[in-house]
């Protein structure tokens, strides 16, 4: 079967770092996506990891371990505008999404 | 931003009526998807298409049908709408890029908020 888990909510302070974990189980895996979704808006693409390791894009980094079925999204130097839901999804030809992690950034 | 639009953006309808949602892309991507998003469930795949007239079911396809007669348009039809189909519907297009690389991208349309009374 297929399963993907991520925490429901996280809270952090402006300027801090937050790590959102995502674990998955699937019989077929081609890569893992991360999306950001602000309330009332469509998800927007953040990253796609195919190989093990860390990929950095400015304040956001994404890590993948295929052998462990594990990924995380690292948000550094948090800003108020980073308050949003963060969705992970694995790619097994079609995308399967987790329920999302709501991140609240406090001043 | 990727060229993907959805219409209508908002719709209120009554139980038992047919409803068609349209997704239009200008990117000439082969893959198109319809999702619904509900609180506590995240994004769930309804149907997807991997080419003109090539479609397949997702995890929540009951009560929905799709058609793709040309590359740029992917239609989602609720033959007889029910209150359980009240949701936000997102269309997505995908460019798989080069296999084995991080070039796969999937972009979402703005969404359609459907209310079935």
């Amino acid at each position: 079967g297929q399963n993907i888990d991520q925490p429901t909510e996280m809270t952090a302070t402006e300027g801090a770092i937050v790590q959102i974990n995502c674990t998955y189980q699937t019989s077929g895996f081609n890569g893992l996506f991360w999306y950001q979704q602000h309330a009332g808006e469509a998800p927007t693409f953040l990253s796609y990891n195919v190989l093990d390791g860390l990929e950095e894009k400015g304040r956001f980094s994404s890590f993948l371990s295929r052998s462990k079925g594990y990924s995380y999204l690292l948000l550094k130097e948090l800003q108020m505008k980073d308050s949003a839901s963060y969705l992970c999804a694995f790619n097994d030809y079609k995308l399967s999404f987790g329920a999302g992690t709501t991140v609240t950034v406090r001043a | 931003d990727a060229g993907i639009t959805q219409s209508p953006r908002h719709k209120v309808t009554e139980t038992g009526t047919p409803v068609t949602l349209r997704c239009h892309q200008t990117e000439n991507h082969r893959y198109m998807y319809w999702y619904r998003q509900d609180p506590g469930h995240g994004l769930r795949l309804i149907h997807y298409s991997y080419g003109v007239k090539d479609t397949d079911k997702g995890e929540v396809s009951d009560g929905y049908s799709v058609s793709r007669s040309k590359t740029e348009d992917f239609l989602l039809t609720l033959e007889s709408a029910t209150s359980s189909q009240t949701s936000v519907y997102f269309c997505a297009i995908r460019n798989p890029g080069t296999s084995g690389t991080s070039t796969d991208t999937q972009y979402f349309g703005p969404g359609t908020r459907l209310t079935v009374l």
Side-chain angles (χ1 to χ4, degrees):
Chain A
Q2 299 175 337
N3 190 31
I4 187 163
D5 290 310
Q6 49 182 130
T8 303
E9 295 180 343
M10 301 183 75
T11 301
T13 305
E14 195 174 15
I17 298 173
V18 68
Q19 178 174 314
I20 306 169
N21 297 323
C22 174
T23 59
Y24 63 89
Q25 293 178 312
T26 178
S27 55
F29 180 82
N30 295 311
L32 192 125
F33 284 92
W34 282 98
Y35 287 85
Q36 180 191 60
Q37 185 177 26
H38 285 101
E41 298 181 6
T44 55
F45 172 82
L46 289 178
S47 66
Y48 180 57
N49 291 64
V50 174
L51 302 176
D52 291 350
L54 185 69
E55 292 200 6
E56 299 186 70
K57 289 184 179 181
R59 295 189 298 113
F60 293 2
S61 303
S62 55
F63 172 85
L64 176 66
S65 170
R66 289 171 296 172
S67 62
K68 296 182 179 179
Y70 168 68
S71 174
Y72 68 73
L73 180 70
L74 195 68
L75 285 62
K76 295 178 282 189
E77 301 171 15
L78 279 173
Q79 301 176 8
M80 299 301 289
K81 67 178 182 179
D82 297 330
S83 291
S85 286
Y86 292 85
L87 315 175
C88 64
F90 64 73
N91 178 12
D92 61 346
Y93 177 67
K94 54 187 185 299
L95 268 63
S96 297
F97 282 85
T101 299
T102 299
V103 172
T104 302
V105 181
R106 296 182 173 171
Chain B
D1 290 342
I4 177 170
T5 57
Q6 292 182 230
S7 59
R9 294 293 313 280
H10 301 272
K11 186 170 182 66
V12 179
T13 191
E14 295 187 348
T15 298
T17 60
V19 177
T20 295
L21 308 182
R22 180 181 184 235
C23 178
H24 178 77
Q25 63 150 328
T26 58
E27 304 297 316
N28 202 35
H29 288 338
R30 178 181 173 189
Y31 298 94
M32 299 184 76
Y33 305 81
W34 276 108
Y35 296 87
R36 60 178 289 173
Q37 187 173 39
D38 306 287
H41 289 279
L43 283 159
R44 293 182 290 174
L45 182 64
I46 304 171
H47 281 279
Y48 63 101
S49 170
Y50 43 94
V52 173
K53 297 187 179 178
D54 289 325
T55 65
D56 205 348
K57 297 179 180 180
E59 61 181 299
V60 289
S61 60
D62 287 348
Y64 302 94
S65 63
V66 289
S67 67
R68 191 163 177 207
S69 59
K70 40 186 182 175
T71 300
E72 57 266 36
D73 289 325
F74 192 30
L75 305 180
L76 177 71
T77 297
L78 291 65
E79 300 291 346
S80 178
T82 66
S83 58
S84 65
Q85 293 176 311
T86 292
S87 186
V88 179
Y89 291 86
F90 287 104
C91 175
I93 59 175
R94 177 166 164 237
N95 180 2
T98 302
S99 178
T101 69
S102 301
T103 55
D104 197 324
T105 54
Q106 179 168 299
Y107 295 98
F108 286 84
T112 294
R113 186 172 296 275
L114 176 67
T115 302
V116 184
L117 302 176

